[in-house]
Amino acid sequence: GRKAPVTVLLDTGHTLTDAATGEPVLTAHWEALGPLWTKDESSVLARLERLGAAACLEELGAGRFRLLPYQAVGVSCGLLLCFQADRVVLEGENLGRLTVALSPTAVSDGGGYSALWGGGKEKSHAA
């Protein structure tokens, strides 16, 4: 029953997908999703940038969270902490259950948005 409204940037270069489902992944700064976290989760996530995804997962336990491998410019094999959101709504469109990757740092230089969505070919109109 918890919600976390965030501003999302439609980024056509954002092609992160969940290898387990083949579906696009929403990437958000962990802090922007603050209302979703328990006090203990928030305490661990506050150290995400310093500790890294694997160490945080170890502290959180593998129930709600898991690791998502990714590649990016300058990163041949990275890991992001992620979770399965029960429901994601973008511009009124219910995308249902969706993997959300947690960025340890802000995804916007100026703070104008706190999440990135590529949406895949079939969902690119959603954001």
Side-chain angles (χ1 to χ4, degrees):
R2 293 182 253 177
K3 297 178 183 179
V6 296
T7 302
V8 179
L9 174 72
L10 175 59
D11 180 358
T12 57
H14 183 277
T15 60
L16 185 62
T17 57
D18 187 338
T21 64
E23 292 291 318
V25 172
L26 179 71
T27 302
H29 184 215
W30 74 269
E31 201 168 3
L33 302 176
L36 302 180
W37 315 131
T38 66
K39 184 178 178 180
D40 290 340
E41 289 169 343
S42 188
S43 176
V44 173
L45 292 171
R47 300 182 314 225
L48 181 58
E49 183 177 10
R50 185 171 43 86
L51 295 178
C56 284
L57 179 63
E58 189 174 315
E59 285 193 40
L60 291 164
R64 180 176 182 188
F65 298 93
R66 64 184 172 91
L67 297 175
L68 180 71
Y70 75 98
Q71 291 181 332
V73 174
V75 181
S76 60
C77 184
L79 294 172
L80 291 169
L81 195 61
C82 70
F83 72 101
Q84 189 78 24
D86 292 330
R87 185 170 71 133
V88 172
V89 178
L90 292 175
E91 284 196 344
E93 182 179 351
N94 183 358
L95 300 178
R97 293 182 59 82
L98 197 67
T99 300
V100 178
L102 302 176
S103 173
T105 59
V107 297
S108 165
D109 287 341
Y113 51 90
S114 53
L116 301 171
W117 173 249
K121 294 175 189 161
E122 70 284 353
K123 294 181 180 176
S124 61
H125 66 283

